[in-house]
Amino acid sequence: MPDLPRPFPHRLPRPSRRAVLTAGAGLTAALTVQGSSAARTGSPTDSPGAASAVSRASARTVVPDDRELRALISRMTLEEKVGQLFVMRVYGHSATAPDQADIDANLKEIGVRTAAELIARYRVGGIIYFSWAHNIRDPHQVADLSNGLQRASLAQPRGLPLLIATDQEHGAVCRVGRPATLFPGAMAIGAGEKGQAALPRKGGKGRAGDSTADARTLGRIAGAELRALGINQNYSPVADVNVNPANPVIGVRSFGADPDAVARLVAAEVKGYQESRVAATAKHFPGHGDTDVDSHYGFPVITHSRELWETLDAVPFRAAIRAGIDSIMTAHLQFPALDDSGDPATLSHPVLTGILRGELGYDGVVVTDSLGMEGVRTKYGDDRVPVLALKAGVDQLLNPPSLEVAWNAVLKAVRDGELTEARLDASLLRILRLKAKLGLFDDPYVTRAGVDRTVGVRAHLETADRIAERTTTLLVNEGRLLPLSRRTHRKLLVVGADPASPSGTTGPPTGVLAAAFTGLGFSATALSTGTAPSAAVVDQAVAAARTADAVVVGTYNVTADSPQRTLVERLLATGRPVIAVALRNPYDIAWLPSVPACLATYSWTDVELRAAARVIAGRVKPRGRLPVPVQRADDPAKVLYPIGHGLSY
């Protein structure tokens, strides 16, 4: 383990908080710190006392005040200040000894060989982990990488601890996979029995729902596992209200279409992350839920009014701010009702400073979405984007396509007078406040022992399974086809779409479902037919269906001309019972009017697919309720299934 001075589980030699603070600031005041193993590892378990142990540890840590942090900032060089504003990707599983392919990628994209060289050259304030950047192999390796990064940063003159971030939304977007605990995604949580404000029941009356428990538990456990890996900032939860079924980038990443329900769940998840000392990030301000363009590849425009924004998009962000959210991520989209300049919100002073800071009263960290996305690069060059983002009110600049270009552009803007050093200092103070709040000045390191007692432990995995069972939504059940009995429908054929599995899940969905049914006592066979099955593949599935007692077909983003519709119709024509499972969007059911049974899982991760199998088999009752309305396929102005729809046994 070349990144560490000695192998775990021995205590890492580390600079004291006093040393970190005084190295650059020349502080003379004595700073007392009372360390503890809980504060050092930041890795609570799912035991009842875990959160309180973290709270006790935090209470014993003396957090630097603004006077101390300003003194630190005053001793930093301009170059160091600029670097602290950036959060950057880097290839490799190790801070100092990555594989040769990752060295080559780093040289090509960043001009350095390793993460340690990146930190030494640019003095970045944060690193973001991606699975595609080969940062994530297994829990011990991630912890070692985090320690190596922190050690490299603290070894610099006036060295500071890093914010280490990732996108661990759960569901469709997850960077850290198995054996870490993977939870249902946001829309699934929104479908949970406790996720709706007023769940329609027979008789037409709703009841108030406890909207906090599962979302808060997710944040607490997911946060504990991230913290044990050395990841201290998570770009989650998604606070967008998904009111556009055609939204290609948010969709099931949102808790739903009801702004009040989304607000409660966002606030609850934020509280959970806070309990585990991980900075949560509400995204994407001012709201990305009513778009039909993916800002990774285009420039979305929100066309609704300021008044609608107040009652729709703003509601979850206000709730996040009231909950004490640590960071808010910007959206690369145009919102003329909020700023008619044509600039993306990420670069908009009226949106970020006028509305977010001024009207909503937010004074935490503002981080951009990735600066490599097309939505922020459409109007301006890569040298102007970071400067304009800082002028708009941003604090952290995330993942620019060229760090050299972006870093030098900000440096030049200060030297030329376009940006003042005082403006940088204001962002630096927010960033350092966050690092101090998270205890990173006290000790940024983690241990293998902390990993082993926290990441993917049985209690966490079982909790994820129970939450998933509360999210599976039964939309149709004609003739009480479900639950299936092993006595009458023992032989199952599982066919359908097999989209690439979210990071760290086993997949493919047909295989996971078939294995789950087999484990429940059925005889199940998997046959992948894909998202666009050919006529030959459909014929093969139909032939296999004729020898089965029932067919389970997974669908994925069905549209009017989707070959998946042909597959389902041909399977129905065999006379065998057909159960459709909408693997991602619940809107699929609108295009499958003849299926006798249909469930929505809101994602195709293992935990949700296994829960769907248990529901189909009758091991648990379906309890999920739609968190979004499903419109009719032939008349989108009419609702086929409203928010709150969901059947049970």
Side-chain angles (χ1 to χ4, degrees):
M1 293 178 27
D3 295 335
L4 299 173
R6 65 170 72 98
F8 283 123
H10 300 294
R11 176 81 159 127
L12 282 166
R14 61 177 175 88
S16 67
R17 172 174 163 272
R18 180 191 298 195
V20 172
L21 284 170
T22 60
L27 298 178
T28 58
L31 303 174
T32 58
V33 177
Q34 300 180 35
S36 72
S37 60
R40 178 165 53 85
T41 61
S43 51
T45 67
D46 194 30
S47 62
S52 60
V54 174
S55 298
R56 290 194 299 271
S58 299
R60 288 193 292 267
T61 299
V62 180
V63 177
D65 60 25
D66 280 5
R67 178 185 61 82
E68 295 167 334
L69 296 177
R70 287 192 177 97
L72 190 159
I73 292 169
S74 71
R75 297 299 192 270
M76 295 170 65
T77 68
L78 176 59
E79 290 81 2
E80 289 166 355
K81 291 180 179 182
V82 171
Q84 280 292 303
L85 305 178
F86 285 94
V87 181
M88 189 61 184
R89 71 189 180 280
V90 65
Y91 291 86
H93 71 287
S94 164
T96 56
D99 294 339
Q100 186 60 50
D102 293 320
I103 291 174
D104 295 342
N106 285 328
L107 287 169
K108 179 180 179 180
E109 294 187 17
I110 314 173
V112 298
R113 293 169 54 83
T114 68
E117 290 180 14
L118 164 68
I119 292 166
R121 178 176 298 184
Y122 291 104
R123 302 300 296 274
V124 295
I127 296 290
I128 180 172
Y129 285 169
F130 293 106
S131 54
W132 53 259
H134 308 144
N135 303 139
I136 298 164
R137 289 182 177 178
D138 61 74
H140 284 168
Q141 168 269 319
V142 177
D144 294 349
L145 173 61
S146 298
N147 284 330
L149 294 171
Q150 296 289 8
R151 183 168 180 254
S153 186
L154 290 169
Q156 301 302 313
R158 296 168 298 279
L160 294 170
L162 293 165
L163 286 169
I164 298 178
T166 197
D167 295 283
Q168 192 79 347
E169 296 176 13
H170 292 271
V173 177
C174 241
R175 308 303 185 198
V176 182
R178 297 169 66 242
T181 304
L182 300 178
F183 284 90
M187 191 171 286
I189 298 297
E193 188 178 37
K194 298 181 180 180
Q196 297 300 313
L199 303 180
R201 292 292 189 266
K202 292 180 179 179
K205 293 184 178 181
R207 64 170 176 81
D210 175 6
S211 63
T212 64
D214 288 346
R216 187 163 184 162
T217 297
L218 185 158
R220 177 173 56 84
I221 292 176
E225 297 199 7
L226 290 175
R227 184 74 190 217
L229 298 172
I231 299 169
N232 46 56
Q233 185 176 22
N234 190 20
Y235 297 141
S236 186
V238 172
D240 304 313
V241 183
N242 197 78
V243 294
N244 190 335
N247 195 322
V249 65
I250 304 302
V252 295
R253 297 167 62 198
S254 163
F255 286 111
D258 177 348
D260 293 324
V262 173
R264 286 194 310 277
L265 293 168
V266 164
E269 192 168 307
V270 168
K271 291 292 187 182
Y273 280 111
Q274 289 170 344
E275 290 175 24
S276 293
R277 295 197 311 154
V278 167
T281 307
K283 60 187 187 184
H284 309 77
F285 189 84
H288 211 314
D290 190 17
T291 63
D292 57 9
V293 173
D294 186 340
S295 52
H296 289 85
Y297 311 108
F299 189 18
V301 179
I302 302 287
T303 58
H304 60 243
S305 67
R306 169 67 189 254
E307 291 72 24
L308 182 55
W309 177 82
E310 290 280 1
T311 59
L312 183 72
D313 308 280
V315 177
F317 288 101
R318 291 183 187 275
I321 293 169
R322 287 194 299 269
I325 189 73
D326 287 309
S327 51
I328 290 178
M329 180 177 285
T330 66
H332 300 328
L333 51 77
Q334 186 183 162
F335 206 137
L338 305 183
D339 178 1
D340 61 4
S341 69
D343 288 343
T346 297
L347 310 182
S348 170
H349 189 275
V351 170
L352 299 186
T353 298
I355 296 175
L356 180 57
R357 297 228 188 266
E359 296 180 23
L360 273 60
Y362 177 66
D363 193 36
V365 171
V366 174
V367 56
T368 70
D369 207 340
S370 171
L371 296 184
M373 294 167 59
E374 188 62 30
V376 78
R377 303 174 75 190
T378 298
K379 189 174 179 181
Y380 301 100
D382 292 338
D383 59 334
R384 293 300 299 156
V385 166
V387 175
L388 295 174
L390 290 170
K391 293 177 73 172
V394 158
D395 301 306
Q396 286 185 306
L397 301 161
L398 177 61
N399 200 29
S402 170
L403 180 57
E404 180 182 14
V405 168
W407 188 88
N408 280 302
V410 174
L411 189 66
K412 182 177 184 297
V414 178
R415 288 173 171 166
D416 290 350
E418 183 179 6
L419 284 170
T420 66
E421 197 163 347
R423 168 66 192 87
L424 268 58
D425 291 352
S427 285
L428 283 169
L429 182 60
R430 294 189 187 100
I431 293 168
L432 294 183
R433 278 176 184 158
L434 179 53
K435 293 182 179 184
K437 177 182 177 181
L438 296 174
L440 299 180
F441 285 104
D442 177 48
D443 189 348
Y445 296 114
V446 294
T447 67
R448 284 194 172 187
V451 170
D452 292 340
R453 66 172 172 261
T454 307
V455 178
V457 296
R458 179 180 296 181
H460 292 180
L461 297 173
E462 290 177 349
T463 298
D465 281 337
R466 300 294 81 77
I467 290 176
E469 290 172 355
R470 292 191 282 273
T471 69
T472 306
T473 306
L474 181 60
L475 300 175
V476 178
N477 192 22
E478 294 179 1
R480 296 184 178 179
L481 172 59
L482 300 181
L484 285 183
S485 168
R486 287 178 297 170
R487 292 186 295 273
T488 57
H489 299 90
R490 183 176 180 82
K491 188 175 182 181
L492 301 182
L493 174 67
V494 182
V495 302
D498 269 336
S501 293
S503 299
T505 59
T506 54
T510 53
V512 174
L513 280 169
F517 283 122
T518 299
L520 294 169
F522 293 85
S523 175
T525 301
L527 174 61
S528 175
T529 51
T531 56
S534 65
V537 169
V538 171
D539 288 342
Q540 183 184 6
V542 168
R546 291 195 175 101
T547 65
D549 297 321
V551 180
V552 177
V553 55
T555 65
Y556 186 90
N557 295 356
V558 179
T559 59
D561 56 356
S562 173
Q564 295 178 68
R565 295 183 68 194
T566 302
L567 171 66
V568 172
E569 290 165 1
R570 291 281 307 280
L571 291 171
L572 288 168
T574 65
R576 297 296 189 271
V578 175
I579 302 99
V581 179
L583 299 174
R584 182 169 185 152
N585 290 324
Y587 313 115
D588 287 2
I589 184 58
W591 299 102
L592 307 171
S594 300
V595 293
C598 181
L599 300 91
T601 64
Y602 310 98
S603 189
W604 57 109
T605 51
D606 300 357
V607 68
E608 290 161 287
L609 296 176
R610 291 195 305 265
R614 291 193 294 274
V615 168
I616 291 171
R619 296 297 179 90
V620 294
K621 293 182 179 181
R623 290 189 271 173
R625 300 289 186 270
L626 278 174
V628 294
V630 174
Q631 284 87 8
R632 288 177 50 168
D634 59 347
D635 188 355
K638 296 181 180 179
V639 173
L640 180 63
Y641 298 113
I643 291 177
H645 172 78
L647 307 175
S648 190
Y649 303 147

